[in-house]
C-alpha cells in the first residue's frame, strides 16, 4: 500500500512538472484584434517565445489616430497554471507616436493551438479592464 501511494505521489509531481514545462516552452505567432468596452480597436501581430515575446500594434479606432500608426510592445512571459494559459506583461515599447500603454495580458490557447484569447489590463489606470483579445495562429 505504501508503494502504491509513493508511485501515485511521484506521478502527480511529474505531471505537474510536465504541465509547467510545456507551458513555459510555448512559442508561436498570432495575428488578431483587440477591443475595449469604450470603442478602441487595434490589430496586432504577436510573437510568443519564452525569452523574446512582443506585440506589434496597429491602431484602427478612434479615428483621431491614423491607421498607419503602430508600435511595438516587448513582453515578459510567465507560465500559467496549465499548459494552455500564460501571462504576458509589457515592460518596454518602441512607440515614436506615444500611442501605446504597457499592459498585462492574461491569455489562453485553444486545445489545437490555433486560437489565442484573453483580456488585458493596464496596470497604471485600469482603463482597459474588460477588454478582449482574439488571434489566429499564423
Amino acid at each position: 500500500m505504501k508503494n502504491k501511494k509513493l508511485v501515485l505521489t511521484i506521478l502527480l509531481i511529474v505531471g505537474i512538472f510536465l504541465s509547467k514545462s510545456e507551458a513555459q516552452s510555448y512559442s508561436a505567432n498570432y495575428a488578431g484584434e483587440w477591443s475595449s468596452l469604450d470603442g478602441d480597436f487595434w490589430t496586432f501581430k504577436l510573437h510568443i517565445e519564452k525569452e523574446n515575446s512582443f506585440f506589434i500594434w496597429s491602431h484602427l479606432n478612434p479615428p483621431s489616430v491614423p491607421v498607419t500608426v503602430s508600435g511595438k510592445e516587448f513582453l515578459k512571459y510567465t507560465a500559467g497554471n496549465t499548459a494552455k494559459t500564460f501571462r504576458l506583461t509589457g515592460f518596454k515599447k518602441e512607440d515614436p507616436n506615444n500611442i501605446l500603454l504597457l499592459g498585462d495580458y492574461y491569455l489562453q490557447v485553444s486545445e489545437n493551438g490555433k486560437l489565442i484569447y484573453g483580456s488585458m489590463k493596464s496596470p497604471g489606470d485600469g482603463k482597459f479592464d474588460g477588454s478582449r483579445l482574439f488571434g489566429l495562429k499564423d
Side-chain angles (χ1 to χ4, degrees):
M1 186 69 166
K2 286 184 181 181
N3 286 339
K4 191 175 186 179
K5 284 184 180 180
L6 179 61
V7 169
L8 289 174
T9 302
I10 291 171
L11 288 175
L12 178 63
I13 291 169
V14 168
I16 291 170
F17 175 76
L18 290 176
S19 173
K20 280 291 192 180
S21 295
E22 185 182 341
Q24 291 176 351
S25 65
Y26 186 80
S27 64
N29 292 305
Y30 291 89
E33 301 171 344
W34 175 89
S35 62
S36 72
L37 296 175
D38 56 348
D40 278 339
F41 187 77
W42 297 69
T43 60
F44 67 82
K45 298 250 184 225
L46 171 60
H47 174 76
I48 303 169
E49 201 176 328
K50 185 178 178 186
E51 300 295 329
N52 181 30
S53 297
F54 57 86
F55 275 110
I56 297 178
W57 293 103
S58 296
H59 197 256
L60 296 180
N61 194 45
S64 61
V65 179
V67 173
T68 57
V69 173
S70 64
K72 186 173 186 178
E73 180 179 9
F74 296 90
L75 307 160
K76 177 185 172 215
Y77 179 98
T78 306
N81 294 331
T82 71
K84 299 293 184 186
T85 61
F86 51 92
R87 177 180 175 190
L88 298 173
T89 305
F91 68 89
K92 181 175 91 169
K93 58 185 181 169
E94 289 177 0
D95 185 15
N97 297 295
N98 200 30
I99 58 169
L100 299 179
L101 293 174
L102 298 177
D104 281 323
Y105 306 87
Y106 301 90
L107 302 174
Q108 185 166 349
V109 177
S110 64
E111 284 301 314
N112 64 8
K114 294 186 182 207
L115 176 68
I116 192 168
Y117 54 96
S119 62
M120 178 255 199
K121 293 183 180 189
S122 53
D125 60 11
K127 179 179 177 183
F128 296 114
D129 293 0
S131 67
R132 295 290 172 246
L133 181 145
F134 299 93
L136 295 174
K137 193 171 186 177
D138 285 348

